[in-house]
Amino acid sequence: MSDFFSPYRVEVFSRALMSVIGGFTFSLFLCLDLSYLLPIETKHAVAWSSMLFFIVFPAVVMWSFAVKNYKLASLKLILITSVLVFMFWLFKFQGVM
Amino acid sequence: MKSALRQSMAWLHTWVGLLLSWILFFIFLTGTLGYFDDELDDWMTPETPVFNVSVEEAMPVVKRFVDKNKLDNYSVRFPVERSQPFLTISYRDENNKRQRVNLNPSTGEALTLRATAGGQTLYRMHYRLRYMPKMVAYYIVGVATMFMFLALITGVVIHKKIFKEFFTFRKGKKPTAWLDGHNLMSVMSLPFHFMITFTGFLLLLYSLMPLIMNAHYGAGKEGKDAFYKEYFNRTSVEKSGVYQSSLDIDKLLSIGQKAMDNKSVAWMSLSHLNDANSQFEIGSVHQTLSDSRDKWVFDANTGKLLDEQVGHESSKSFYYVLRSLHEGLFASTSLRWLYFLTGLFGTAMIASGMVLWTVKRRSKSIKEGGGSFGYRFTEGLNLGCLLGLPSGIAVYLLANRLLPLDFSARAAAEANSLFLTWGTISLLAVVMALLKKADAAWFKLTYLAGVLFASVPVVNALTTNLGFFYALISKNWVFVFVDLICTLVSIICITLAIYLQKLFSKECQESKAVQQRVLTRTQA
């Protein structure tokens, strides 16, 4: 069992989790915010940001596996994502913009 | 994790590459064949000729059919382009059920095609898969596409000296030869791989990422409909129930052609004949990258132009150009071959990557007396997939010729035969690999694939009157090329099988010799 929970495996698992769940949430809210911020028609803003999602997401996944200190990196990711979620809440439910 | 960026990316490349390589191989191979979907349709319905008749010549047939069946809602596709070999009329019958007929555009005679899954099913499989709900298939394909995209980007990051390595081919040394081959396949058509993968997302864009759309337009089907209506300019109208006489169809067609400015007509449709909301639409042939889905909408009672959708603005032009690039509907025959070829390079890239994974671990596993369970299982799956799917496609073609014509579930049986073959071969391969007989499985299954492909032209010649020489004389190029390609694949498979058999027996003797030497030394 000790082999199963080796530090290497724990790290790979954490990074995978960070890239998939963290990366997805981050990319989603980044693109969502962008769809409100873009100064163009709503339908085009939706289309551009939906397409952008598929570029941002793989970039974040690669970053999650490349970054040296993954614990610090995941903390950063959570913080930035929280800000993005807050911004989304402002845009969508408070009518800012 | 490894410290350097390139090392960590090499790790990521290996694992995202391997994990979904089986499904990616399937997507790439069936998608590549999909560039010739209409040609395969033609091949799989050998009893019907392909028509190419102008709109004017076909119109009398259309009018006769519409009058005879008293149609109020119908659309017509004219046999003027590659994807449209017959005159096809789609309509709603008395019970409001959708119907579709294929007609001979000169005589109006209804064409009865043999029930076949055709090239369309093979092409549709590459994103729709089979035996599962649509959305499940889309998500699986979406995840696989994301893995592919990651494998591509990380692959480029690994190879800092990508152009130098592109010209490196170290023949003979096994793992490096496979590596160089893998690089060659990848780099040679790298732009294509990036294009096809990214545009793959776009084709399923709002199915894979509906959330941004939902945030603005509301959740569920209503939100989607609202967005689609606004974004894609859906022009459908409801029937009003108020009588108003519509213009004659010939008149509408000529109004339409005038508005189209001499572009050639591919299709037209009429909705709610003799109703206040009656509408006439007409669309042009898909000829260039950017003119996809151009259409003109008219009031069918007055002939007034209601909407003109020519070219696209902002995100839509980007979206449609990339979409057209993926589908390649605009491509001429020579460009279509290039699509096919680069698609095959992509398939070969995935295949060589899969082989590379096992080859790299091979000498270690031989020393350890066969390798771990994981190694053997992966090798079995690799070879089951690499040889099972092509064999399945050969059987798919054979099934079209061999299944009885009056068998009702014929189309489904053809598709089942593909997956049954693939599944059986995969199972066989995994079992043999687990029993440490992977080497024998490699060359025996390659022989099998070769034999299956060789039998396609033979069976075709026996069951149709379009055998190779007859097709050649009558210049039926689709049949000629299907025969040629099957023969070529068969020759490649059998040569490969002979090569592998020699290679493995040599390797086997060498390792026995080494064991013998070790044995004699210990005895001495």
Side-chain angles (χ1 to χ4, degrees), chain B residues 34 36-38 40-41 44 116-124 396:
Chain B
F36 285 117
D37 54 347
D38 296 317
L40 279 173
D41 275 345
M44 292 174 95
T116 177
Q120 298 307 324
T121 306
L122 198 62
Y123 142 80
R124 216 170 294 124
Y396 183 74

Side-chain angles (χ1 to χ4, degrees), chain A residues 8 11 35 44 47 62 66 92, chain B residues 1 5 11 206 215-216 313 315:
Chain A
Y8 177 74
E11 189 177 339
S35 73
H44 290 301
M62 282 174 65
K92 169 85 183 166
Chain B
M1 193 99 335
L5 171 76
W11 181 92
Y206 301 106
H216 288 268
E313 77 291 356
S315 65

Side-chain angles (χ1 to χ4, degrees), chain B residues 7 21 79 137 142 211 219 280-281 292 299 318 322 335-336 378 420 431 456 482:
Chain B
Q7 273 173 325
S21 57
L211 296 172
F280 174 75
E281 295 183 12
S292 59
D299 183 323
F318 181 76
L322 289 196
L335 188 57
R336 191 162 294 282
T378 309
L420 208 63
V431 170
V456 173
V482 170

Side-chain angles (χ1 to χ4, degrees), chain A residues 8 11-12 15 24 28 31-32 35-36 42-44 46-51 53-55 57-58 61-62 65-66 68 88 92, chain B residues 1 5 8-9 11-12 146 149-150 153 157 198 201-202 205-206 208-209 211-213 215-217 227 230-231 313-315 318:
Chain A
Y8 177 74
E11 189 177 339
V12 169
R15 280 180 191 262
F24 183 88
L28 173 62
C31 295
L32 266 173
S35 73
Y36 285 93
T42 314
K43 60 177 182 181
H44 290 301
V46 167
W48 282 120
S49 25
S50 301
M51 291 190 268
F53 173 83
F54 293 98
I55 295 178
F57 187 26
V61 172
M62 282 174 65
F65 281 94
K68 267 187 193 147
F88 172 68
K92 169 85 183 166
Chain B
M1 193 99 335
L5 171 76
S8 68
M9 288 299 110
W11 181 92
L12 194 60
M146 187 51 84
F149 202 41
L150 277 169
I153 307 173
V157 174
F198 184 68
F201 287 128
L202 297 196
L205 185 60
Y206 301 106
L208 294 176
M209 180 26 79
L211 296 172
I212 298 174
M213 169 181 83
H216 288 268
Y217 289 84
F227 175 71
E230 195 179 318
Y231 192 73
E313 77 291 356
S314 182
S315 65
F318 181 76

Side-chain angles (χ1 to χ4, degrees), chain B residues 37 45 52 80 152-153 176 190 214 239-240 243 247 255 325 333 379 388 420 436 448 453:
Chain B
D37 54 347
T45 51
N52 200 330
V80 290
L152 279 175
I153 307 173
T176 52
L190 193 65
N214 290 343
K239 191 173 178 171
S240 71
Y243 179 86
L247 293 172
I255 293 174
L325 268 176
T333 310
E379 181 170 29
L420 208 63
K436 302 187 184 176
L448 179 69
F453 272 100

Side-chain angles (χ1 to χ4, degrees), chain B residues 62-71:
Chain B
V62 174
K63 280 196 286 187
R64 230 182 303 147
F65 186 84
V66 168
D67 289 342
K68 197 179 125 210
N69 296 285
K70 299 194 178 60
L71 301 183

Side-chain angles (χ1 to χ4, degrees), chain B residues 160-370:
Chain B
K160 203 168 58 175
K161 297 179 210 145
I162 194 156
F163 281 100
K164 194 184 159 208
E165 283 173 349
F166 172 49
F167 294 107
T168 315
F169 186 72
R170 288 156 287 190
K171 191 175 153 262
K173 296 179 204 162
K174 248 175 291 146
T176 52
W178 275 107
L179 181 62
D180 294 340
H182 180 64
N183 291 345
L184 188 71
M185 287 299 144
S186 317
V187 178
M188 205 139 64
S189 42
L190 193 65
F192 172 82
H193 302 323
F194 269 109
M195 180 279 284
I196 211 74
T197 311
F198 184 68
T199 52
F201 287 128
L202 297 196
L203 280 151
L204 300 178
L205 185 60
Y206 301 106
S207 303
L208 294 176
M209 180 26 79
L211 296 172
I212 298 174
M213 169 181 83
N214 290 343
H216 288 268
Y217 289 84
K221 196 178 174 306
E222 280 136 50
K224 190 177 175 176
D225 284 347
F227 175 71
Y228 271 42
K229 200 165 169 98
E230 195 179 318
Y231 192 73
F232 294 106
N233 304 327
R234 292 269 161 96
T235 45
S236 60
V237 283
E238 295 292 318
K239 191 173 178 171
S240 71
V242 181
Y243 179 86
Q244 197 177 341
S245 76
S246 299
L247 293 172
D248 181 54
I249 191 73
D250 279 328
K251 176 86 182 139
L252 285 169
L253 183 66
S254 73
I255 293 174
Q257 277 171 323
K258 212 171 285 165
M260 287 169 75
D261 198 21
N262 294 327
K263 281 190 192 172
S264 38
V265 180
W267 59 270
M268 63 173 195
S269 83
L270 188 92
S271 43
H272 317 305
L273 180 79
N274 295 333
D275 183 270
N277 281 348
S278 181
Q279 205 167 274
F280 174 75
E281 295 183 12
I282 194 162
S284 61
V285 175
H286 199 142
Q287 260 160 341
T288 66
L289 205 52
S290 55
D291 75 355
S292 59
R293 295 163 187 83
D294 283 358
K295 74 171 182 183
W296 292 260
V297 185
F298 301 89
D299 183 323
N301 305 327
T302 61
K304 197 176 136 241
L305 183 66
L306 298 177
D307 193 7
E308 189 181 24
Q309 297 172 13
V310 186
H312 304 290
E313 77 291 356
S314 182
S315 65
K316 269 180 86 180
S317 53
F318 181 76
Y319 178 80
Y320 272 116
V321 166
L322 289 196
R323 232 186 116 124
S324 304
L325 268 176
H326 187 106
E327 293 172 326
L329 288 174
F330 68 94
S332 59
T333 310
S334 47
L335 188 57
R336 191 162 294 282
W337 276 103
L338 192 64
Y339 261 118
F340 182 70
L341 208 65
T342 43
L344 285 185
F345 281 149
T347 317
M349 165 180 77
I350 297 167
S352 57
M354 285 155 82
V355 173
L356 191 57
W357 192 90
T358 40
V359 167
K360 266 193 169 171
R361 288 154 182 79
R362 190 181 161 82
S363 56
K364 188 173 161 242
S365 76
I366 289 178
K367 269 179 219 149
E368 286 170 356

